[in-house]
Every structure is written in structure tokens, then in C-alpha cells.
Amino acid sequence: PNDEHPARERLTLTLVLDRRRATIEDAARACEELYQQGVAASCAVSWHDGRSPQLLGAAPEVLAGPRALRDVVGQGDLWLHVSPGSFAQAHRGTSAAIHALARSALSAVVSERRRARVLELYAGSGALGLSLARSGMNVTLVESFAPAADAAVDAAREQRIEGVRVFAEDAARFAREEARRGERYDAVVINPPRRGVDRGALEAIGALDPTVVLYVSCDPETLARDLATLRDAGFAVMGGAQPFDMIPLTEEVETVVVLRQLRGEERAGVSVVHRDERLVVLDGGACVARRAIEWARRELRWRDAVAFGGAGDDESGLTLVARSAADAQAIERERIVSDLRAEAWVKSVARDKGAIERPALGVRDARTRYKRLAVVGGHSKVRLVIERGDTLTARAHMASLAHPVLGDSAHGERGTNVFVRERMALDRTALHVSAVTVRDGDATLALTAAASGDLALLEARLGRR
């Protein structure tokens, strides 16, 4: 195989080895033999410690053959430098169809009088971004794996494709920094791995003010979770989800979704469950608290609005917003709000039921009751009744029993949190505020919120485990 015939089918092979069981000499000998026999056009090794849930360990090191091969992708003669550890689609015809859909969707929303400004996150070696740039768009590619980013730079330069910038950076961090600098893009393209997109990156995308977002997914479950987050950030799906059979005769299917930015009242992203002159209770899915405050300040003109007592920024369900901090204190003092309940997934198998009454996070008389509802995949689903305190004190209480809430960055176990993020697709704390009682004059209102979809996905994946 050689670069003069880029369309020829060739195999790049990466051996994932445990340092405790193999040496660099073993790896070099195996790679050289595979290369000399013509089994692999390139052979690399990635050292794995056996603890990480990710397939690859350290960045692959090429031990035999060229560091990169040319691969024709999409339509025409566009090609990429494909290197070990970088991303390349498995079926060229399907890849071409995805590229065509992307060009059509983005061209339809951008004026023909100027070049569209496009940001692609998780860009890999640049297949989709280079295709868009070749059609006349200014494309910024972001890829955390430096060798893949370098390959995109080389491919753009050697093919003289203009309007391309490439950054070897974390996608979420880059998006947040661009938003902080006030940058704006006509369109954002995201093409993530199976674990989906970091929630922080999705929220930053909204701040970049794109007219359209194009999502290319290889996992329908994390796609559904991320579409819910994008909906909360002010985007709506256009024309449904388009599946592409990427690897025929297998279950692997790519899905492409085009979303448009909502404007005005459509963009609220929260629903009002209860409202009076000093308190509003909102349900807005996962990570609702900040959006709830923004909504109250914008729609109700409560300039000093504060969230208290309900779901926090990394939780889901009901959140309580008071007109001011003084109103929040008065509501708590008058016991207007009571019987705060939540459902949570906690580490390992908790006892059937119990009560924790001890100081937590500055609350001297904090008290939480819990009841185990189910055990799935070695972890427990519990109902929390927060008698004194809030969800944060309840999380601290459960952690004190060696049963931290899954995904809890403050009190949880790092290894478990990495596991649920990478394998269970949970990108937040697994706590949902499901019910609260509000006294409104002579009436007593029992308010509820259905569980968030990402917790249903967590339960399903724990069950498969």
C-alpha cells in the first residue's frame, strides 16, 4: 500500500496492551511481523493500565509502517490523513451521504452573499469539516487528540483547502472560551464519540448563537439525552432524525439531526408548575436552576431572583425561585414549602431505610430520611425525604454513609463517577427533585415532576450490566 492509491482498502492496526503483561520489545516484534506479512499497512501500540473504561489507553505509538495513510472520503477526491487513534468512518458511501446532508442543511440557513462561519467540535481528522470548507464555508475544527488535529492541518494544506482553522483542544473548554470572548457562529457541527457531548459544551453552544446545530451521533441513547439538553438550551429538531447504515450487516447506525435555534417565548426551556407573587416553582429537566433564575428575571422582571431548596445546577426536577433572597428566607421561615422529596441513585447497596440527622454544609439541624426502592447493577435507587436542609445536605448525608449519589463531583468517588460518565452516559449528579408541597393561602398544593430521561437511561444501562 502507498499514498499514490488512496482509495485502496488498507488496514491500520492498534494493539491495546497492558504494560504488566507485555514489553515494548514484544509490541515492536509483533507490529513488525504483521507489517512485513502485509496484514497491516500500519501498526501501533496503546498502553492501557486496565482501570480506565475507555478502550484506548495512552496515545498510540506507531511501531511499523507510516504514521498516517491517505483515505478518500465523501464525494470527489477529498482525502484525509488517517492515523492510529484518530477517527475515520467505516463506509465511504454512507460518509458521502452524511456530508451531502450537512452541506445542504447548513447552506439553507446561511446567506449566499457571504461565507458561513462554522464550528465543528469533536472533528477527528477533519472529514466533515474539510468537506464543508471545500464547499465555501469558513470552518473551525476542534479535536482534543493532537495527532488527529495535526492530520487535519496537513490534509487541508496539501489539498489547498482555504478557510480552515484547527485547534487541538478539549471541545467543551474551547466552546466555553469562545462564548466568553463573545464569538458567534452561523452553525455548529458536533460529531462526538459514544458517550455523547459534555453538558457544558452543549450549554456553551447556545451562547455561540448559531442559527443551526448539526449533530452526528453513533449512539441513539446519548443522542436522546443530548437533544433534551439542547432543547433546554433553546434549540428544536428540524425534520426528525435521519439514520445512516454505517456498517452494513451490523447494528451500528449513524444518526444525523438538524436543530434550529428558537427565538422569543419558544426559547424558555422551563414550565411553570406554580406561581404566586413571591414564589415560582419550575420544571425544566436536568440542570434547571440557572435557567430558572434567568427565566424569572427575564419574564417576571424579578431582578433579584434566587433559587433555593429545589433542584440545583447539576440536578433535575422541581426548582424553587423566590423574588429575592429576603422572600426566600421568609418562605422558609413561614414553612410555605415543605415535604421536599427526591429520587437518587447512590453507590453500592444501601440499607432498606434510615435517617441521618447531623450538621451538613453549615446546616446545624439538617435531617434526611431515605428508603431504598431498587437495586440495579450493584447500585441503589433511593427516595430521599429532606426534612431539614436541601438537596446538597442530603447528598452530604448519603456520602457520610458511604453511599454517595452517583455523579456527585463534591462528595462522590472519582472512579465510580468516571464509570457512570463513560459507560452509563450520566453527565451530572443522579438526583431528581420529584415532589414538594406548597401552601398557597388556604390551599395546600402537592407538586410533582416526572423523572428525567437521562436517569431512565442510567437505570437501563445499569440493568444491562
PDB file of all heavy atoms in Angstrom, residues 186-204:
ATOM      1  N   ASP A 186     -22.402  30.860  12.630  1.00  0.00           N
ATOM      2  CA  ASP A 186     -23.659  30.600  11.928  1.00  0.00           C
ATOM      3  C   ASP A 186     -24.165  29.193  12.204  1.00  0.00           C
ATOM      4  O   ASP A 186     -25.373  28.953  12.256  1.00  0.00           O
ATOM      5  CB  ASP A 186     -23.469  30.777  10.415  1.00  0.00           C
ATOM      6  CG  ASP A 186     -23.091  32.193  10.049  1.00  0.00           C
ATOM      7  OD1 ASP A 186     -23.872  33.107  10.354  1.00  0.00           O
ATOM      8  OD2 ASP A 186     -22.000  32.392   9.469  1.00  0.00           O
ATOM      9  N   ALA A 187     -23.233  28.252  12.346  1.00  0.00           N
ATOM     10  CA  ALA A 187     -23.615  26.862  12.551  1.00  0.00           C
ATOM     11  C   ALA A 187     -22.571  26.167  13.418  1.00  0.00           C
ATOM     12  O   ALA A 187     -21.393  26.525  13.402  1.00  0.00           O
ATOM     13  CB  ALA A 187     -23.748  26.133  11.216  1.00  0.00           C
ATOM     14  N   VAL A 188     -23.022  25.179  14.180  1.00  0.00           N
ATOM     15  CA  VAL A 188     -22.130  24.335  14.970  1.00  0.00           C
ATOM     16  C   VAL A 188     -22.398  22.888  14.590  1.00  0.00           C
ATOM     17  O   VAL A 188     -23.564  22.453  14.544  1.00  0.00           O
ATOM     18  CB  VAL A 188     -22.332  24.531  16.492  1.00  0.00           C
ATOM     19  CG1 VAL A 188     -21.481  23.535  17.274  1.00  0.00           C
ATOM     20  CG2 VAL A 188     -21.991  25.965  16.897  1.00  0.00           C
ATOM     21  N   VAL A 189     -21.339  22.157  14.308  1.00  0.00           N
ATOM     22  CA  VAL A 189     -21.419  20.735  13.979  1.00  0.00           C
ATOM     23  C   VAL A 189     -20.785  19.952  15.124  1.00  0.00           C
ATOM     24  O   VAL A 189     -19.685  20.285  15.569  1.00  0.00           O
ATOM     25  CB  VAL A 189     -20.690  20.423  12.657  1.00  0.00           C
ATOM     26  CG1 VAL A 189     -20.737  18.932  12.349  1.00  0.00           C
ATOM     27  CG2 VAL A 189     -21.308  21.231  11.507  1.00  0.00           C
ATOM     28  N   ILE A 190     -21.474  18.928  15.617  1.00  0.00           N
ATOM     29  CA  ILE A 190     -20.921  18.085  16.675  1.00  0.00           C
ATOM     30  C   ILE A 190     -20.989  16.624  16.239  1.00  0.00           C
ATOM     31  O   ILE A 190     -22.027  16.152  15.770  1.00  0.00           O
ATOM     32  CB  ILE A 190     -21.649  18.303  18.023  1.00  0.00           C
ATOM     33  CG1 ILE A 190     -23.167  18.387  17.841  1.00  0.00           C
ATOM     34  CG2 ILE A 190     -21.154  19.534  18.719  1.00  0.00           C
ATOM     35  CD1 ILE A 190     -23.919  18.676  19.113  1.00  0.00           C
ATOM     36  N   ASN A 191     -19.875  15.926  16.387  1.00  0.00           N
ATOM     37  CA  ASN A 191     -19.758  14.544  15.941  1.00  0.00           C
ATOM     38  C   ASN A 191     -18.991  13.760  17.017  1.00  0.00           C
ATOM     39  O   ASN A 191     -17.841  13.384  16.828  1.00  0.00           O
ATOM     40  CB  ASN A 191     -19.019  14.498  14.602  1.00  0.00           C
ATOM     41  CG  ASN A 191     -19.031  13.118  13.980  1.00  0.00           C
ATOM     42  OD1 ASN A 191     -19.630  12.192  14.511  1.00  0.00           O
ATOM     43  ND2 ASN A 191     -18.355  12.978  12.856  1.00  0.00           N
ATOM     44  N   PRO A 192     -19.648  13.516  18.169  1.00  0.00           N
ATOM     45  CA  PRO A 192     -18.930  13.008  19.339  1.00  0.00           C
ATOM     46  C   PRO A 192     -18.782  11.492  19.342  1.00  0.00           C
ATOM     47  O   PRO A 192     -19.414  10.780  18.543  1.00  0.00           O
ATOM     48  CB  PRO A 192     -19.838  13.449  20.491  1.00  0.00           C
ATOM     49  CG  PRO A 192     -21.216  13.329  19.897  1.00  0.00           C
ATOM     50  CD  PRO A 192     -21.067  13.761  18.455  1.00  0.00           C
ATOM     51  N   PRO A 193     -17.979  10.960  20.278  1.00  0.00           N
ATOM     52  CA  PRO A 193     -17.925   9.512  20.490  1.00  0.00           C
ATOM     53  C   PRO A 193     -19.207   9.026  21.161  1.00  0.00           C
ATOM     54  O   PRO A 193     -20.133   9.807  21.407  1.00  0.00           O
ATOM     55  CB  PRO A 193     -16.700   9.337  21.399  1.00  0.00           C
ATOM     56  CG  PRO A 193     -16.584  10.640  22.114  1.00  0.00           C
ATOM     57  CD  PRO A 193     -17.039  11.685  21.137  1.00  0.00           C
ATOM     58  N   ARG A 194     -19.256   7.741  21.495  1.00  0.00           N
ATOM     59  CA  ARG A 194     -20.478   7.140  22.028  1.00  0.00           C
ATOM     60  C   ARG A 194     -20.982   7.808  23.307  1.00  0.00           C
ATOM     61  O   ARG A 194     -22.195   7.842  23.542  1.00  0.00           O
ATOM     62  CB  ARG A 194     -20.247   5.646  22.321  1.00  0.00           C
ATOM     63  CG  ARG A 194     -20.147   4.794  21.068  1.00  0.00           C
ATOM     64  CD  ARG A 194     -20.054   3.316  21.426  1.00  0.00           C
ATOM     65  NE  ARG A 194     -19.985   2.516  20.222  1.00  0.00           N
ATOM     66  CZ  ARG A 194     -21.030   2.170  19.492  1.00  0.00           C
ATOM     67  NH1 ARG A 194     -22.234   2.568  19.863  1.00  0.00           N
ATOM     68  NH2 ARG A 194     -20.888   1.440  18.411  1.00  0.00           N
ATOM     69  N   ARG A 195     -20.080   8.322  24.112  1.00  0.00           N
ATOM     70  CA  ARG A 195     -20.526   8.889  25.382  1.00  0.00           C
ATOM     71  C   ARG A 195     -21.270  10.210  25.197  1.00  0.00           C
ATOM     72  O   ARG A 195     -21.803  10.769  26.149  1.00  0.00           O
ATOM     73  CB  ARG A 195     -19.340   9.095  26.320  1.00  0.00           C
ATOM     74  CG  ARG A 195     -18.334  10.125  25.873  1.00  0.00           C
ATOM     75  CD  ARG A 195     -17.247  10.307  26.918  1.00  0.00           C
ATOM     76  NE  ARG A 195     -16.254  11.278  26.513  1.00  0.00           N
ATOM     77  CZ  ARG A 195     -15.160  10.995  25.851  1.00  0.00           C
ATOM     78  NH1 ARG A 195     -14.910   9.740  25.518  1.00  0.00           N
ATOM     79  NH2 ARG A 195     -14.296  11.933  25.523  1.00  0.00           N
ATOM     80  N   GLY A 196     -21.328  10.725  23.971  1.00  0.00           N
ATOM     81  CA  GLY A 196     -22.064  11.950  23.710  1.00  0.00           C
ATOM     82  C   GLY A 196     -21.266  13.198  24.020  1.00  0.00           C
ATOM     83  O   GLY A 196     -20.037  13.169  24.094  1.00  0.00           O
ATOM     84  N   VAL A 197     -21.968  14.299  24.205  1.00  0.00           N
ATOM     85  CA  VAL A 197     -21.347  15.612  24.331  1.00  0.00           C
ATOM     86  C   VAL A 197     -21.404  16.080  25.781  1.00  0.00           C
ATOM     87  O   VAL A 197     -22.430  15.932  26.455  1.00  0.00           O
ATOM     88  CB  VAL A 197     -22.051  16.647  23.423  1.00  0.00           C
ATOM     89  CG1 VAL A 197     -21.366  17.995  23.514  1.00  0.00           C
ATOM     90  CG2 VAL A 197     -22.074  16.154  21.990  1.00  0.00           C
ATOM     91  N   ASP A 198     -20.308  16.628  26.248  1.00  0.00           N
ATOM     92  CA  ASP A 198     -20.252  17.217  27.578  1.00  0.00           C
ATOM     93  C   ASP A 198     -21.349  18.275  27.717  1.00  0.00           C
ATOM     94  O   ASP A 198     -21.543  19.115  26.839  1.00  0.00           O
ATOM     95  CB  ASP A 198     -18.872  17.847  27.786  1.00  0.00           C
ATOM     96  CG  ASP A 198     -18.733  18.480  29.148  1.00  0.00           C
ATOM     97  OD1 ASP A 198     -19.120  19.665  29.261  1.00  0.00           O
ATOM     98  OD2 ASP A 198     -18.246  17.814  30.060  1.00  0.00           O
ATOM     99  N   ARG A 199     -22.083  18.211  28.842  1.00  0.00           N
ATOM    100  CA  ARG A 199     -23.198  19.148  29.050  1.00  0.00           C
ATOM    101  C   ARG A 199     -22.728  20.601  28.985  1.00  0.00           C
ATOM    102  O   ARG A 199     -23.419  21.470  28.453  1.00  0.00           O
ATOM    103  CB  ARG A 199     -23.870  18.866  30.396  1.00  0.00           C
ATOM    104  CG  ARG A 199     -25.065  19.750  30.683  1.00  0.00           C
ATOM    105  CD  ARG A 199     -25.701  19.370  32.009  1.00  0.00           C
ATOM    106  NE  ARG A 199     -26.250  18.026  31.939  1.00  0.00           N
ATOM    107  CZ  ARG A 199     -27.480  17.749  31.499  1.00  0.00           C
ATOM    108  NH1 ARG A 199     -28.275  18.728  31.077  1.00  0.00           N
ATOM    109  NH2 ARG A 199     -27.922  16.517  31.474  1.00  0.00           N
ATOM    110  N   GLY A 200     -21.522  20.863  29.510  1.00  0.00           N
ATOM    111  CA  GLY A 200     -21.000  22.220  29.453  1.00  0.00           C
ATOM    112  C   GLY A 200     -20.801  22.697  28.030  1.00  0.00           C
ATOM    113  O   GLY A 200     -21.025  23.873  27.713  1.00  0.00           O
ATOM    114  N   ALA A 201     -20.386  21.783  27.139  1.00  0.00           N
ATOM    115  CA  ALA A 201     -20.213  22.154  25.735  1.00  0.00           C
ATOM    116  C   ALA A 201     -21.554  22.474  25.096  1.00  0.00           C
ATOM    117  O   ALA A 201     -21.683  23.436  24.321  1.00  0.00           O
ATOM    118  CB  ALA A 201     -19.510  21.036  24.976  1.00  0.00           C
ATOM    119  N   LEU A 202     -22.582  21.693  25.407  1.00  0.00           N
ATOM    120  CA  LEU A 202     -23.907  21.944  24.832  1.00  0.00           C
ATOM    121  C   LEU A 202     -24.458  23.293  25.287  1.00  0.00           C
ATOM    122  O   LEU A 202     -25.071  24.024  24.501  1.00  0.00           O
ATOM    123  CB  LEU A 202     -24.867  20.820  25.214  1.00  0.00           C
ATOM    124  CG  LEU A 202     -24.574  19.444  24.603  1.00  0.00           C
ATOM    125  CD1 LEU A 202     -25.530  18.407  25.164  1.00  0.00           C
ATOM    126  CD2 LEU A 202     -24.694  19.489  23.077  1.00  0.00           C
ATOM    127  N   GLU A 203     -24.253  23.621  26.553  1.00  0.00           N
ATOM    128  CA  GLU A 203     -24.735  24.910  27.048  1.00  0.00           C
ATOM    129  C   GLU A 203     -23.945  26.062  26.427  1.00  0.00           C
ATOM    130  O   GLU A 203     -24.507  27.122  26.135  1.00  0.00           O
ATOM    131  CB  GLU A 203     -24.638  24.933  28.573  1.00  0.00           C
ATOM    132  CG  GLU A 203     -25.607  23.957  29.243  1.00  0.00           C
ATOM    133  CD  GLU A 203     -25.412  23.873  30.740  1.00  0.00           C
ATOM    134  OE1 GLU A 203     -24.376  24.389  31.226  1.00  0.00           O
ATOM    135  OE2 GLU A 203     -26.277  23.294  31.422  1.00  0.00           O
ATOM    136  N   ALA A 204     -22.637  25.844  26.211  1.00  0.00           N
ATOM    137  CA  ALA A 204     -21.828  26.884  25.573  1.00  0.00           C
ATOM    138  C   ALA A 204     -22.244  27.101  24.129  1.00  0.00           C
ATOM    139  O   ALA A 204     -22.169  28.218  23.609  1.00  0.00           O
ATOM    140  CB  ALA A 204     -20.345  26.512  25.639  1.00  0.00           C
TER     141      ALA A 204
END
